[in-house]
Amino acid sequence: MKAMITGGTGFVGTHLTKALLDSGWDVTITGRSQNSIYSGEKGFTQLVCDTTVKGDWQSEVSHMDVIINLAGKNIFTLWNKEKKKDILDSRILTTQNLIEGMKDGAVKVFLSTSASGYYGDRGNEILTESTSKGKGFLSDVCEAWETEALKAQQFDVRTVLMRFGMILGKDGGAFKKMKTPFRLGLGGNLGSGQHWMAWMHIHDLVEAVLFLINHDKASGIVNFSAPHAVRNKNFTKAVSRVLGRPAFFHVPGFILRLIMGELGDVLLGSQRMAASELERLGFKFTYADIDSAMGDLVR
């Protein structure tokens, strides 16, 4: 079996590459620089390219059984008109180019990333895959991204839209960035700490991707979140507890908005996302609650 992972040099892509190589797959990743830790391993290929630009790399798409689309500019930066355009274009253009490459090929499954940002700020509402779109820039980006990805269905490609919550791992993602300030005693709540956070352990994310690839009935929207979302204040307590450090530092909401602008509103947004579709399909989580996840991350 052959898989292509766009944005494969990132945190999630690196973990997925390892899992697929360990399972005997041939894995091709795309990235703008030759910096994968798997270079030289059997079955591994890297295409150094910009996937927002049409090119020879598209001819490789038609040889793949599975495409996993992770490519997109980092949203965690100060937004202005130019940055917003980059965030949107990096997702839309890559997806369009991938689908163009599928038209003459044998691609069976297309898994394309989206995000919990689709739902916007929803308070205490439990968010399932059938919940309506929210408001805001990220919600609009996710809707446009998903709309492009679903065009793969015209080529009889089983398409899964993976709405990621916050992904936690030892070697990347949010937890790696927050360990140092927490260990320095600078950890604490964002705003009131009452907003809900959707999260998922990287181990469960990788297992869920493999599960969906092999599940013929899996298609459409799938929330990538643990069964139990947590409020920000409870998340803070869990991190503080496992690191054995106090977390008295508090970032008032107005300060976060002042520093981060629109992104501040996103960081304070409440998303109580449920893993309804994964559970319906029969996926079993290894880390279903935040305490077990945190216990593993500091092991």
Side-chain angles (χ1 to χ4, degrees):
M1 297 288 283
K2 296 181 179 180
M4 174 182 283
I5 305 174
T6 62
T9 59
F11 168 50
V12 172
T14 299
H15 280 266
L16 285 172
T17 298
K18 182 180 188 308
L20 290 168
L21 288 173
D22 287 349
S23 297
W25 285 61
D26 289 337
V27 179
T28 298
I29 71 168
T30 69
R32 297 195 184 197
S33 59
Q34 190 85 36
N35 61 348
S36 175
I37 61 174
Y38 302 109
S39 296
E41 290 204 14
K42 180 181 179 182
F44 176 82
T45 304
Q46 180 171 357
L47 300 176
V48 179
C49 60
D50 178 354
T51 54
T52 67
V53 178
K54 299 179 189 299
D56 292 342
W57 69 270
Q58 289 175 281
S59 64
E60 296 299 316
V61 173
S62 63
H63 302 304
M64 301 296 153
D65 298 294
V66 174
I67 306 291
I68 303 172
N69 183 21
L70 304 174
K73 287 277 190 179
N74 193 335
I75 68 166
F76 293 103
T77 183
L78 289 175
W79 294 351
N80 54 33
K81 187 175 181 180
E82 182 181 353
K83 292 290 186 183
K84 283 184 171 182
K85 186 176 187 303
D86 286 344
I87 288 169
L88 179 62
D89 286 353
S90 63
R91 289 158 172 79
I92 300 303
L93 296 177
T94 290
T95 305
Q96 289 175 344
N97 290 337
L98 280 171
I99 291 169
E100 183 178 299
M102 293 179 193
K103 62 185 178 183
D104 299 319
V107 177
K108 300 176 181 67
V109 186
F110 180 41
L111 297 101
S112 190
T113 312
S114 183
S116 59
Y118 174 90
Y119 300 110
D121 181 6
R122 305 296 277 264
N124 291 323
E125 182 181 0
I126 297 175
L127 307 174
T128 70
E129 287 82 357
S130 61
T131 300
S132 62
K133 174 185 172 293
K135 297 178 180 178
F137 170 66
L138 282 188
S139 183
D140 294 342
V141 168
C142 289
E143 181 183 46
W145 199 4
E146 292 179 5
T147 298
E148 290 301 324
L150 287 172
K151 292 178 182 178
Q153 294 175 330
Q154 68 187 296
F155 303 123
D156 295 322
V157 176
R158 180 163 60 85
T159 303
V160 178
L161 305 176
M162 306 180 292
R163 287 182 183 161
F164 285 3
M166 178 175 59
I167 308 305
L168 304 175
K170 297 178 183 180
D171 56 343
F175 184 71
K176 181 181 179 181
K177 293 177 181 178
M178 68 178 64
K179 278 190 297 186
T180 297
F182 267 83
R183 283 177 170 151
L184 293 173
L186 299 176
N189 297 341
L190 298 180
S192 68
Q194 293 296 321
H195 57 283
W196 290 92
M197 301 171 63
W199 62 275
M200 192 177 197
H201 192 294
I202 186 65
H203 169 85
D204 283 332
L205 180 148
V206 170
E207 291 300 313
V209 169
L210 298 178
F211 174 83
L212 293 169
I213 288 173
N214 292 302
H215 198 306
D216 291 341
K217 301 298 182 184
S219 66
I221 302 157
V222 179
N223 285 346
F224 268 58
S225 61
H228 305 294
V230 293
R231 293 188 188 274
N232 176 256
K233 65 176 184 179
N234 298 119
F235 181 85
T236 297
K237 288 177 181 176
V239 178
S240 174
R241 191 161 49 245
V242 296
L243 294 178
R245 301 294 295 160
F248 300 129
F249 193 74
H250 169 238
V251 183
F254 78 92
I255 293 293
L256 197 60
R257 291 184 177 96
L258 183 65
I259 295 171
M260 301 301 294
E262 274 186 83
L263 182 58
D265 286 321
V266 172
L267 296 174
L268 294 168
S270 185
Q271 292 160 349
R272 193 177 181 181
M273 196 161 74
S276 304
E277 187 64 6
L278 280 174
E279 292 187 315
R280 185 190 72 81
L281 292 169
F283 179 74
K284 302 299 181 186
F285 286 84
T286 300
Y287 302 102
D289 62 87
I290 195 65
D291 288 325
S292 66
M294 287 297 169
D296 174 74
L297 294 179
V298 299
R299 210 179 278 169

